[in-house]
Amino acid sequence: MRAVVITTPGGPDSLQVQDVPAPVPGPGEVLIDVAAAGLNRADVLQRQGHYPVPAGASEYPGLEVSGRIAAVGDGVEGLTVGADVVALLTGGGYAEQVTVPAGQVLPVPAGLDLTTAAALPETAATVFSNLFMAAGVTEGDHVLIHGGAGGIGTMAIQMVAAFGAVPMVTAGSDDKLELARSLGAQVLINYKDEDFVERVRAATGGRGADVILDVMGAKYLQRNLEALAVSGRLVIIGLQGGTKAEIDLNLVMRKRLAVIGTTLRSRPAEEKAAIMQAVRKYVWPLIEAGKIRPLVDRTFPLAEAGAAHEYFDSGRHTGKILLTT
């Protein structure tokens, strides 16, 4: 089969399509003929040499795919050859075929085409597991979403709104904020010329946000804590702004704050399976009802993975970028 190989850590030109051995499903695994793969920041970090591949995972990038089941391993039940599915991966999605534990495979939501469905697994699992399973977002909560125009951000806005909470977002341009507004965001903050702490406080009558979904890490840590309401929860899922920062523990204690840090890729298969089943139960019906939709900015052929990464690196994209086989 063909797969995208990282020839050496570096820029987009380090991604090359090569002929490699095809995978074989083991017990409890499914082999998928890939239709499309989603591009995520973790793939970029892996390309740059900043995200080591977890033990036992494929060395090829790609954490989510859509496709058709080509074979099933021993012990797999409820999944049949020929079924259209999506899958959450630990790696290997930038390829014509991939194997994945059966628990991380879901049917394509009704009414969604196979290519577009590739934009769902990583974003839906990340948003639901962090905002609802970890941070306990409930109806009426004010939720600040940093990076509201990206793949995670656009999914988070819709999911928060669908569950009756109030989405607030930061983004870096008026066009991206308008996209966020069209998806249901009620407070729009241009981080280039506005202080999100002041805007959040003003929008909540001085209370602050109940939950913040953060991709920046160290750079935003103190300001995120200041923007939280009493008993607020900060969920850190990215480190674009660095890994180390001082924390004002007095502020954390006085406001009874919780700081939650998570990753999805390195979780055990059992935890990923539980997350995917929760996504199927709570999120898939919203997609099938048209209340949540994956946003795809552009698609690139697998052979143009480097161009897709170059476009991602430019920061111009909104929603997801996909690779098609």
Side-chain angles (χ1 to χ4, degrees), residues 66 84 86 108-120 294 296 322:
S66 63
D84 289 346
V86 298
V108 172
L112 201 62
D113 70 89
L114 189 57
T115 296
T116 302
L120 282 174
V296 176
L322 303 180

Side-chain angles (χ1 to χ4, degrees), residues 31 36 46-47 69 146 161 164 186 222 231 239 264 274 313 322:
L31 176 68
Q46 182 177 336
R47 184 201 81 208
I69 295 178
H146 288 302
Q186 297 187 28
Q222 181 60 30
S231 298
L239 300 170
L264 183 59
D313 290 349
L322 303 180

Side-chain angles (χ1 to χ4, degrees), residues 262-285:
T262 73
T263 60
L264 183 59
R265 184 180 190 181
S266 59
R267 291 193 184 200
E270 295 80 7
E271 292 186 16
K272 291 180 182 177
I275 291 170
M276 290 298 277
Q277 289 309 308
V279 166
R280 182 176 186 177
K281 180 178 180 180
Y282 294 105
V283 180
W284 257 218

Side-chain angles (χ1 to χ4, degrees), residues 71-85:
V72 296
D74 292 341
V76 173
E77 299 179 355
L79 295 170
T80 59
V81 172
D84 289 346
V85 295

Side-chain angles (χ1 to χ4, degrees), residues 10-319:
D13 59 354
S14 67
L15 299 174
Q16 302 292 328
V17 174
Q18 298 180 4
D19 290 325
V20 302
V24 177
E29 291 186 333
V30 171
L31 176 68
I32 297 174
D33 287 331
V34 176
L39 195 165
N40 291 280
R41 185 165 296 277
D43 304 334
V44 174
L45 295 174
Q46 182 177 336
R47 184 201 81 208
Q48 295 170 337
H50 301 318
Y51 200 148
V53 176
S58 170
E59 63 187 21
Y60 315 128
L63 301 180
E64 60 185 344
V65 298
S66 63
R68 188 159 289 131
I69 295 178
V72 296
D74 292 341
V76 173
E77 299 179 355
L79 295 170
T80 59
V81 172
D84 289 346
V85 295
V86 298
L88 179 69
L89 311 174
T90 310
Y94 288 18
E96 292 178 323
Q97 291 187 313
V98 66
T99 55
V100 57
Q104 295 164 216
V105 179
L106 295 181
V108 172
L112 201 62
D113 70 89
L114 189 57
T115 296
T116 302
L120 282 174
E122 177 75 15
T123 52
T126 295
V127 172
F128 191 80
S129 65
N130 283 289
L131 287 183
F132 296 91
M133 298 174 73
V137 169
T138 58
E139 185 176 355
D141 279 350
H142 286 77
V143 182
L144 175 63
I145 301 157
H146 288 302
I152 295 293
T154 53
M155 177 60 67
I157 293 167
Q158 296 179 84
M159 206 178 291
V160 166
F163 282 97
V166 181
M168 307 183 291
V169 302
T170 65
S173 73
D174 290 341
D175 288 345
K176 290 183 176 181
L177 289 173
E178 176 57 27
L179 171 64
R181 184 203 62 75
S182 72
L183 296 174
Q186 297 187 28
V187 179
L188 311 173
I189 305 167
N190 189 325
Y191 66 79
K192 292 184 177 180
D193 54 27
E194 296 181 283
D195 183 338
F196 73 80
V197 179
E198 293 181 359
R199 285 293 312 281
V200 166
R201 286 174 174 168
T204 58
R207 286 186 63 254
D210 297 289
V211 176
I212 297 177
L213 185 66
D214 177 56
V215 296
M216 293 303 295
K219 183 178 180 180
Y220 277 11
L221 180 58
Q222 181 60 30
R223 294 167 68 203
N224 278 332
L225 298 178
E226 293 170 357
L228 281 171
V230 171
S231 298
R233 290 87 74 198
L234 168 62
V235 188
I236 302 172
I237 62 169
L239 300 170
Q240 297 175 38
T243 62
K244 296 182 179 181
E246 290 188 358
I247 187 169
D248 183 350
L249 293 176
N250 185 44
L251 177 62
V252 172
M253 294 168 68
R254 283 189 292 107
K255 294 173 70 174
R256 302 188 297 281
L257 305 179
V259 179
I260 305 166
T262 73
T263 60
L264 183 59
R265 184 180 190 181
S266 59
R267 291 193 184 200
E270 295 80 7
E271 292 186 16
K272 291 180 182 177
I275 291 170
M276 290 298 277
Q277 289 309 308
V279 166
R280 182 176 186 177
K281 180 178 180 180
Y282 294 105
V283 180
W284 257 218
L286 294 170
I287 295 171
E288 294 175 346
K291 295 181 179 180
I292 293 176
R293 59 187 175 93
L295 269 71
V296 176
D297 183 310
R298 289 182 62 180
T299 62
F300 293 79
L302 187 67
E304 297 179 15
H309 273 238
E310 186 175 359
Y311 181 55
F312 184 95
D313 290 349
S314 74
R316 300 194 306 272
H317 69 286
T318 54

